[in-house]
Amino acid sequence: MPMPLRPSSCACLLAGLLSLPAAHADDDAINPDRPNVANSSQVVGARRMQLETGVQWDRARDDDAHVRTLTTPTLLRIGLSDALELRVETAGRTIAHASDPATGAHTALAGWADGAAGVKWHLGDQDGMRPAVGLIAEAALPTGSAALRGTGFRPSLDVPAEWDLGNDWSLGVMPGVGRDGDDAGSHYTYGALAASLGKAFSERLHGFAEVAAPQIARAAHGGTQSVLDAGASWLVNSDCQLDAMVVHGLNRNVPGLSLAFGISVRR
């Protein structure tokens, strides 16, 4: 499980970032996997370390409850070779506030989410119509606070694929499959699919729009989750990027609105 981010650590990190000199974008510019669902096929490179973190606010409303949740998703990527990286990630600190619209009763929950560990393997670069392809194998572990802890060992496998479409446009698609547990303690297999269209407006400013189904499952196991999101990233320098994203839930199985803001740094 990754170490929790403490305020003093965040302050030191931000101070370090502000002291970094500005630089022009180049072919070796940082390429984070956040904030959208579809990941890049690329890895960070041998002997490199990359931290991707941020905050996300979710709002879910139905007839029974109105819930607002704040999380701090964090991903640490460590380059083992030019084609392989180690990944450790978590949704981080989680704070949820729920209210009953009928009675006005309010409840609050705070804790640490489970951690996950795995690897990403860059299988190949784009060659004509054949995309750049990667493979991400991870497993979530029951390491979080008791109220937020999942059930057992939960593996997942994703295959990110990317095409450079020319004229500063790109397309990313990521199918996947995983195994999770429900509240009754039984395990089930689910699918996942995301497609993201990206546009480079300048060397520093990039935008994207995405449609994604992070979970495709039967109703008995939580049903299919589907979202539409859009966002932008700003390259501060070749080793630092800022991002922002807005997410609209397309069905009742996901929050109706989410906002995310993040930073990615590399050394």
Side-chain angles (χ1 to χ4, degrees), residues 129-224:
M129 294 298 294
R130 187 179 69 190
V133 179
L135 183 68
I136 303 174
E138 291 186 339
L141 304 171
T143 54
S145 302
L148 299 171
R149 192 174 303 153
T151 304
F153 180 84
R154 289 153 284 152
S156 64
L157 186 67
D158 297 307
V159 183
E162 301 170 290
W163 290 265
D164 182 347
L165 304 179
N167 297 316
D168 298 322
W169 288 92
S170 61
L171 174 65
V173 176
M174 191 177 77
V177 64
R179 190 160 178 80
D180 206 342
D182 57 26
D183 294 338
S186 62
H187 287 79
Y188 62 93
T189 300
Y190 65 89
L193 182 63
S196 180
L197 183 65
K199 169 67 174 177
F201 297 104
S202 70
E203 286 186 336
R204 295 186 181 278
L205 180 62
H206 291 237
F208 66 87
E210 177 185 58
V211 60
Q215 175 175 289
I216 303 172
R218 296 165 55 185
H221 298 136
T224 294

Side-chain angles (χ1 to χ4, degrees), residues 26-36 38-45 48-52 75 77 85 87 120 122 125 132 136 160 162 170 206 233-235 237-243 263-267:
D26 55 39
D27 291 339
D28 190 39
I30 189 171
N31 186 13
D33 280 345
R34 65 164 293 115
N36 53 330
N39 290 332
S40 165
S41 69
Q42 305 298 318
V43 296
V44 295
R48 282 192 180 272
M49 184 178 297
Q50 187 164 307
L51 177 66
E52 305 175 15
L75 169 63
R77 303 167 63 184
E85 71 179 28
R87 299 162 65 87
K120 181 199 280 189
H122 178 65
D125 296 323
I136 303 174
E162 301 170 290
S170 61
H206 291 237
S233 62
W234 177 261
L235 191 67
N237 58 46
S238 60
D239 293 316
C240 177
Q241 180 173 290
L242 305 177
D243 63 69
I263 184 170
S264 300
V265 292
R266 180 181 67 174
R267 65 177 297 275

Side-chain angles (χ1 to χ4, degrees), residues 10-23 236-237 239-240 263 265:
C10 295
C12 292
L13 175 61
L14 291 176
L17 291 174
L18 293 175
S19 68
L20 291 172
V236 178
N237 58 46
D239 293 316
C240 177
I263 184 170
V265 292

Side-chain angles (χ1 to χ4, degrees), residues 51-149:
L51 177 66
E52 305 175 15
T53 188
V55 294
Q56 181 164 326
W57 176 83
D58 303 323
R59 184 187 70 187
R61 291 181 173 178
D62 57 31
D63 295 338
D64 297 324
H66 295 171
V67 182
R68 289 173 173 81
T69 306
L70 186 70
T71 56
T72 55
T74 300
L75 169 63
L76 178 64
R77 303 167 63 184
I78 301 171
L80 303 179
S81 72
D82 288 334
L84 186 67
E85 71 179 28
L86 175 67
R87 299 162 65 87
V88 181
E89 64 180 314
T90 177
R93 186 66 175 173
T94 300
I95 304 172
H97 293 272
S99 60
D100 187 326
T103 66
H106 177 268
T107 58
L109 170 68
W112 295 96
D114 284 350
V119 295
K120 181 199 280 189
W121 182 19
H122 178 65
L123 299 176
D125 296 323
Q126 181 173 348
D127 184 7
M129 294 298 294
R130 187 179 69 190
V133 179
L135 183 68
I136 303 174
E138 291 186 339
L141 304 171
T143 54
S145 302
L148 299 171
R149 192 174 303 153

